[in-house]
Amino acid sequence: MIRFAAPQWLLLLPLVGALLWWTGRQLAGMTPSRKRFVLALRAVVLGALVLALAGVQVRLVARRVCALFVVDASESVADAERPRLHAFIDRALKNAGNGDIVGIIVFGRNPLMEVVPAPLRAAPPLRARPDRSATDIAAALRLAMGLVPEGFAPRIVLFSDGNETMGDALSAALVAKSQGIPIDVVPLRTKSDRQDALVADVAMPAQVRRHQPFAAQVIVEATYGGEGVLRVDRDGVPVRKVPIRWVQGKNAVVVTLRADEPGVHRFRFVLDAGGDSELRNNIGMGLVKVAGEGRVLLAEGQPGEGAALAKALRTNGLKVTVVGQGGLPTRPEEWGNYEAVILVGYPAWAMSDKQMTTLSSWVQDSGIGLVMVGGEGSFLSGGYYGTDIAKVLPVDLEGRQRRVYPAATVLIVMDTSGSMAVMEGGVQKVHLAAQAAIETLRMLRPIDRFGVIVSGEGADWLVPIQDARRRDTIITQIQRIQAGGGGIYCRPSLELAAKAITAEVTRVRHIIFMGDTDDCDEQGGCFEIAQALRRMGVTITAVGFGRPNGKDAPFLQRLAQLGGGNFYIAQSARDLPKMFTADVSVMTRSAIEEHPFIPRLAGSDEMLNGIDFRSMPPLFGYCVTSDKPFARTLMRTDKGDPLLAVGQFGLGSSVAFTSDASGRWGRAWLGWGEFGKLWANIVKSALRKAAHGNYDLWVQVAKGRATIELFAADERGEPVNLLQPQAIVSGPSGESKTVVLQQEGVGRYRGTVAAGETGIYRVTVTERDASGQMGVYVASFAVPYPTEYRFVRPNERLLRQLSAITGGRFGVPPEAVFALPRQRQGAIVDLWQGCLVAALMALLLDIAARRLAIGIPEFVAAFVRRWDAWRQQRRVRPVPVTERTQRLLSAKQRAQRQPAPSGSTELPKRQAPTECPVTAQPRSPSDRRSAQVTERLLDIKRRYRQ
């Protein structure tokens, strides 16, 4: 069947005929045959071009099958089904035709290609390992549809239990139908064909009042009848143990609970069921927020450093919880217990990267406030350079780049022994140490100097001391570092470092010595070198990684003490960048300014109202920072650096006070009468903004998606309509998604968002009142285990719909997989390329016919004669040569070789056959036969020459 992609170009065909008629009249001086030949070639050229423009195509009916086996490898499929589907594929392949091809896709949360479509005659073992915690049938079908090559009749064979947790398989089936791809289905059994009891859902209010009992409804689904115990704990502390009895199917269990302390509480429900074959789905989880006065979390770097500030805040009516290093929340939902977080001299290495990311997310997406108070463990000197917390702060930690400081030389002695090859979080420790060196280099200015010495099998230079302006080249050298053997050789490394750094002429010279607290070799003489360097103005900081009580930890601490530097213990190699940057900023005098000054006001804000600044005493130091765009600086130092700055980060407020609130720099402020009032105003301005109305939030999770339902009411309980609330959903990985809740009833709003991960989710609802003031309402919900674990039976209805929509077969036998469908969509083949080739060849022949001197009739006649001669030669039979004939031929050859008479330039004339003495003799019958043979030979020779 021929078709055209752009048939409108066929309207040029009448114009082609007219053009041929006109060109025929222009061909003068040609024979009629040549003229007809040229016109025929031109007709081919023009006709082929028109067909190419029209996009001529031909439809070829597929006679070969491309079968794509799509195999469900998720957790819900019974393990006993694996051999059955393998045997099914093997039997189907035995019925495949010679030209048929096969592809295999294995899927769970994501589809993976097991076998690319190719001829296959035996089922291979399935080696692909997708994420089995979810089922995305739609993604697997889309991949299969994209693998069907042209010229084949496509067919998809789906092996699944039909329990999809992600995607929309029915939508994918509609796409397959439009492409003419049938989906055959082979249903698989679930694991829960055995006895299984699970906690399917937990329904409980998102917020309750303090001391108010509330009901939690637990849905228990089982494939058998039995009895067991439902254990309940609150924040890890057991509170209830409820005996229950269930029947086959779904059972509702109501448990009365209460929580007295304000904040977010996690309730966990664990089912102890006898005879249960699957224990991973026996857990449920719910979170409830107990309303109460907002609390403030104060984290102090050194014991007692935040005591004065905590006392002042409590005096002014704020509830403050004080923690030291290691006391920050570890679970994401615990941050919701506080309305603001205050960091007082709290260093960055006392927080994990996960804690920093979570705190930053709570500020941005949930509106809690962050206040950082200065000190040696804050801002740049606290190691916050380049961290997630630095992004939240309203000041820039890159202050050194904008100020004039003396040039500095920084030399790092790095351990590259065998212990540095140990993996930490999927990364070798030596690479984390290299990253710390790179972060330190990025802090330096172009006028500074930088170098790296490595110590493993010996002390050697990795980066000789050079200008920091060659940053890109130095980073490339550092990134090539690898761990070796041996240990860190302390004395040789310090000797090499001392020889190089004492030759530097910069005003500040500093060495960072890094070593294992359990493996420092050749310690003798190191203390003397450190003392000598200290007298020459060179400082040494020691960074030990490993156990704090390691055998060589005292040596490193003493080395730092004699070298005039700092001593750090990094129990995790991931803390090295924070420690390196903090140490360099302090030792190069670029992070802290210590001198008395009177702060000056630089802006107005509500937090400063009612404060008598005329009696404000001096401060004696501060952490150096610089202004950040879009932040407001309310107070400055005598040098114009920020002292008090405020800003907005997402939904939350951030405040930076670069001096301290303790007895070192702020000792005169502790006795100031306005101290407590000022700090109360600062912290209250950073508290999370409460919602204007009363909200009830319910979340239901199904098929990897969370449905959020919100009921909004005012203070009198009347429904509030025409709101435009937005819900920000933050998942366990920290990723946030925003969904607009649409009104679906009186005061009721609804929206859905993906929730495929396991863990705690945070939902933040934001709305604005008539005056434009924004309110924030926060609730949480949990996904205790993957949805994949909660299926107890196959979803046969979905599988039948997939086959019915696409014209496939449910429960297809293996012998019928490669049968050609009755209605086949043929493959479309484009012919326009062939038309262009034909037009080009005809054009060349046209040129040759008009330019070559040889005539077409003569050419044809010569060809016919040549063909005739070849056929005559093929018809001649070989004649046997007799003895007499051989003598005659020999005589002829002698006569031709006989030389001519002397003096004669003419060749001897050939005698006529009648004068030949041989033929002139009387002939006998045998002679006559010989003569006839001779004549025939001569005749053949003449024809051959012709």
Side-chain angles (χ1 to χ4, degrees):
M1 177 181 177
I2 297 178
R3 52 179 289 180
F4 298 94
Q8 63 271 18
W9 290 100
L10 296 177
L11 297 176
L12 295 177
L13 289 177
L15 183 61
V16 169
L19 185 61
L20 289 175
W21 175 81
W22 181 79
T23 55
R25 300 188 60 182
Q26 305 300 318
L27 295 175
M30 291 186 182
T31 62
S33 59
R34 184 192 293 267
K35 185 175 181 179
R36 287 191 296 272
F37 183 70
V38 171
L39 287 175
L41 291 175
R42 292 186 176 180
V44 172
V45 172
L46 296 175
L49 290 177
V50 172
L51 293 177
L53 290 173
V56 61
Q57 299 173 332
V58 61
R59 181 186 294 273
L60 302 177
V61 178
R63 301 187 180 278
R64 296 175 297 172
V65 175
C66 173
L68 292 161
F69 296 101
V70 181
V71 180
D72 186 350
S74 61
E75 285 282 0
S76 62
V77 177
D79 295 334
E81 294 290 71
R82 313 294 178 191
R84 186 171 77 88
L85 66 89
H86 188 275
F88 183 100
I89 296 175
D90 202 48
R91 289 176 56 191
L93 293 177
K94 289 181 170 54
N95 294 274
N98 292 330
D100 297 337
I101 60 176
V102 176
I104 301 178
I105 298 172
V106 182
F107 72 96
R109 179 183 293 272
N110 56 315
L112 297 178
M113 178 59 62
E114 178 73 42
V115 176
V116 178
L120 196 65
R121 291 298 174 263
L126 302 182
R127 304 184 184 278
R129 293 294 180 266
D131 186 349
R132 303 180 62 190
S133 63
T135 303
D136 194 344
I137 299 176
L141 293 179
R142 287 194 297 267
L143 176 60
M145 287 184 282
L147 293 173
V148 179
E150 292 287 346
F152 288 85
R155 182 176 297 280
I156 295 176
V157 183
L158 174 64
F159 300 85
S160 177
D161 60 0
N163 290 315
E164 63 173 346
T165 62
M166 301 175 61
D168 189 353
L170 293 178
S171 297
L174 292 175
V175 176
K177 178 184 178 182
S178 66
Q179 297 181 3
I181 303 177
I183 300 177
D184 295 338
V185 174
V186 178
L188 301 179
R189 294 175 300 156
T190 63
K191 285 184 176 181
S192 295
D193 286 348
R194 303 169 295 174
Q195 288 189 353
D196 188 23
L198 59 93
V199 178
D201 196 10
V202 175
M204 55 192 304
Q207 182 170 336
V208 298
R209 293 186 178 88
R210 192 175 182 182
H211 305 298
Q212 174 190 356
F214 61 91
Q217 186 182 57
V218 182
I219 305 299
V220 176
E221 189 171 357
T223 60
Y224 67 103
E227 59 183 17
V229 176
L230 183 66
R231 294 185 288 107
V232 186
D233 67 71
R234 181 184 63 237
D235 301 327
V237 179
V239 293
R240 294 290 300 273
K241 185 180 294 185
V242 183
I244 61 173
R245 183 185 300 272
W246 64 83
V247 297
Q248 183 176 357
K250 292 186 177 181
N251 305 261
V253 181
V254 179
V255 183
T256 301
L257 302 170
R258 61 182 296 170
D260 297 331
E261 294 297 324
V264 178
H265 298 278
R266 184 191 65 181
F267 288 87
R268 188 170 56 177
F269 306 85
V270 180
L271 176 64
D272 290 337
D276 193 3
S277 60
E278 178 61 74
L279 301 179
R280 291 176 296 183
N281 54 17
N282 288 17
I283 183 173
M285 193 177 300
L287 292 101
V288 62
K289 182 177 181 180
V290 179
E293 296 181 3
R295 288 190 295 171
V296 175
L297 178 65
L298 191 151
E300 55 183 9
Q302 299 296 329
E305 191 172 3
L309 180 57
K311 180 180 178 181
L313 295 178
R314 291 189 181 110
T315 303
N316 285 270
L318 291 173
K319 292 186 175 296
V320 181
T321 300
V322 179
V323 297
Q325 292 194 27
L328 290 177
T330 56
R331 296 202 304 263
E333 69 274 10
E334 292 178 340
W335 292 96
N337 295 333
Y338 308 101
E339 305 300 322
V341 176
I342 307 174
L343 302 177
V344 181
Y346 199 88
W349 52 84
M351 304 173 64
S352 66
D353 292 340
K354 181 67 173 177
Q355 286 176 315
M356 286 193 178
T357 302
T358 304
L359 177 55
S360 173
S361 174
W362 271 92
V363 175
Q364 181 177 16
D365 299 332
S366 299
I368 72 172
L370 175 65
V371 180
M372 181 173 286
V373 182
E376 289 190 350
S378 300
F379 299 103
L380 189 59
S381 59
Y384 287 97
Y385 177 83
T387 63
D388 288 337
I389 299 299
K391 301 175 184 177
V392 180
L393 296 175
V395 292
D396 194 345
L397 301 187
E398 300 258 1
R400 178 176 174 79
Q401 307 295 334
R402 300 173 174 84
R403 296 176 64 90
V404 177
Y405 288 98
T409 299
V410 177
L411 179 57
I412 298 177
V413 180
M414 189 179 300
D415 184 1
T416 58
S417 61
S419 61
M420 295 297 289
V422 176
M423 304 296 289
E424 183 176 308
V427 183
Q428 286 187 350
K429 286 185 177 181
V430 69
H431 294 151
L432 295 173
Q435 186 61 35
I438 292 173
E439 293 294 335
T440 303
L441 172 63
R442 286 175 175 159
M443 289 182 56
L444 302 179
R445 300 165 299 168
I447 64 172
D448 294 329
R449 306 266 290 168
F450 182 78
V452 178
I453 293 175
V454 293
S455 179
E457 297 179 353
D460 198 3
W461 286 101
L462 176 66
V463 179
I465 297 178
Q466 53 194 286
D467 291 342
R469 66 170 55 94
R470 303 185 60 200
R471 181 176 290 111
D472 295 337
T473 303
I474 298 174
I475 290 176
T476 301
Q477 293 175 287
I478 295 175
Q479 288 174 338
R480 292 199 296 262
I481 193 171
Q482 297 292 334
I488 183 167
Y489 297 92
C490 301
R491 188 186 67 256
S493 300
L494 279 179
E495 289 175 346
L496 182 61
K499 182 179 180 181
I501 202 166
T502 52
E504 295 292 317
V505 295
T506 56
R507 182 173 175 181
V508 178
R509 293 171 294 179
H510 183 58
I511 297 174
I512 299 179
F513 186 89
M514 187 186 70
D516 193 336
T517 56
D518 282 307
D519 188 16
C520 289
D521 300 330
E522 299 188 27
Q523 301 177 11
C526 291
F527 295 157
E528 290 76 10
I529 297 175
Q531 290 175 326
L533 289 174
R534 187 72 184 95
R535 289 191 294 269
M536 290 185 286
V538 180
T539 54
I540 300 176
T541 286
V543 179
F545 62 89
R547 296 183 304 125
N549 56 349
K551 66 180 182 63
D552 294 325
F555 161 74
L556 294 173
Q557 186 174 10
R558 180 62 176 167
L559 183 67
Q561 182 181 4
L562 295 175
N566 301 310
F567 174 64
Y568 302 94
I569 287 290
Q571 298 187 34
S572 170
R574 294 189 178 275
D575 294 333
L576 292 175
K578 306 169 190 174
M579 293 179 175
F580 278 28
T581 55
D583 178 70
V584 170
S585 64
V586 171
M587 300 307 299
T588 58
R589 305 295 189 270
S590 62
I592 293 176
E593 287 278 354
E594 290 190 296
H595 63 273
F597 66 94
I598 298 294
R600 56 186 179 87
L601 298 179
S604 60
D605 191 86
E606 292 183 359
M607 72 174 66
L608 303 180
N609 293 341
I611 306 297
D612 183 11
F613 289 101
R614 293 174 299 179
S615 60
M616 180 172 51
L619 294 170
F620 296 90
Y622 63 94
C623 296
V624 177
T625 61
S626 57
D627 295 323
K628 180 180 283 189
F630 306 109
R632 294 182 298 129
T633 301
L634 303 181
M635 299 178 70
R636 293 187 180 275
T637 67
D638 59 330
K639 294 186 177 182
D641 295 324
L643 177 64
L644 175 62
V646 296
Q648 193 75 22
F649 186 73
L651 300 178
S653 299
S654 61
V655 180
F657 187 78
T658 57
S659 188
D660 67 6
S662 62
R664 180 177 178 181
W665 298 335
R667 54 184 178 270
W669 275 42
L670 299 182
W672 181 33
E674 303 290 333
F675 176 80
K677 185 177 180 180
L678 174 62
W679 272 110
N681 290 350
I682 293 174
V683 174
K684 288 179 180 179
S685 68
L687 296 178
R688 177 166 43 195
K689 306 301 184 293
H692 306 294
N694 296 322
Y695 293 146
D696 285 331
L697 187 68
W698 296 84
V699 181
Q700 184 176 8
V701 181
K703 294 179 60 175
R705 297 192 67 82
T707 301
I708 303 171
E709 294 185 359
L710 176 71
F711 177 75
D714 57 19
E715 293 79 0
R716 298 174 298 177
E718 296 294 332
V720 179
N721 299 314
L722 303 180
L723 294 177
Q724 294 182 346
Q726 289 186 342
I728 302 175
V729 181
S730 302
S733 62
E735 182 181 1
S736 300
K737 299 178 181 179
T738 302
V739 56
V740 177
L741 303 183
Q742 303 293 336
Q743 186 167 2
E744 294 190 347
V746 179
R748 295 190 176 277
Y749 302 86
R750 181 187 179 98
T752 60
V753 66
E757 296 181 82
T758 302
I760 305 296
Y761 288 79
R762 183 175 69 255
V763 182
T764 304
V765 179
T766 62
E767 51 88 7
R768 295 183 182 272
D769 59 10
S771 62
Q773 295 294 324
M774 184 178 64
V776 178
Y777 175 80
V778 180
S780 302
F781 68 93
V783 179
Y785 57 84
T787 311
E788 195 69 27
Y789 297 155
R790 70 174 55 187
F791 297 113
V792 296
R793 60 182 63 85
N795 189 352
E796 187 175 311
R797 178 183 177 186
L798 175 63
L799 297 177
R800 290 187 180 275
Q801 286 178 314
L802 295 178
S803 59
I805 290 174
T806 59
R809 295 160 292 184
F810 181 83
V812 59
E815 294 79 12
V817 168
F818 289 94
L820 286 170
R822 295 179 180 178
Q823 296 182 353
R824 288 171 283 168
Q825 289 189 357
I828 303 300
V829 180
D830 291 320
L831 300 180
W832 64 270
Q833 299 97 330
C835 291
L836 291 180
V837 173
L840 179 61
M841 298 300 297
L843 178 62
L844 295 176
L845 289 176
D846 176 26
I847 296 173
R850 289 184 290 106
R851 298 296 181 185
L852 295 181
I854 183 172
I856 298 299
E858 294 83 355
F859 177 80
V860 174
F863 178 77
V864 171
R865 287 196 303 272
R866 192 74 175 174
W867 176 260
D868 214 17
W870 181 79
R871 292 181 61 190
Q872 288 292 337
Q873 185 177 356
R874 296 277 295 178
R875 282 200 299 265
V876 174
R877 297 180 180 180
V879 180
V881 181
T882 62
E883 182 180 355
R884 190 175 185 85
T885 302
Q886 184 65 39
R887 289 199 304 270
L888 290 174
L889 293 175
S890 300
K892 180 181 179 182
Q893 294 173 357
R894 287 194 302 271
Q896 291 176 347
R897 291 195 300 267
Q898 183 177 359
S902 62
S904 174
T905 58
E906 295 182 1
L907 294 174
K909 296 183 179 179
R910 180 180 297 176
Q911 296 181 356
T914 56
E915 299 177 356
C916 179
V918 177
T919 58
Q921 297 178 359
R923 298 179 179 181
S924 63
S926 60
D927 292 339
R928 287 195 296 271
R929 287 194 297 271
S930 298
Q932 292 174 356
V933 170
T934 302
E935 289 296 331
R936 292 174 61 185
L937 289 174
L938 292 175
D939 184 63
I940 291 172
K941 183 177 180 180
R942 284 194 297 272
R943 288 200 305 271
Y944 177 77
R945 287 181 176 177
Q946 291 174 356

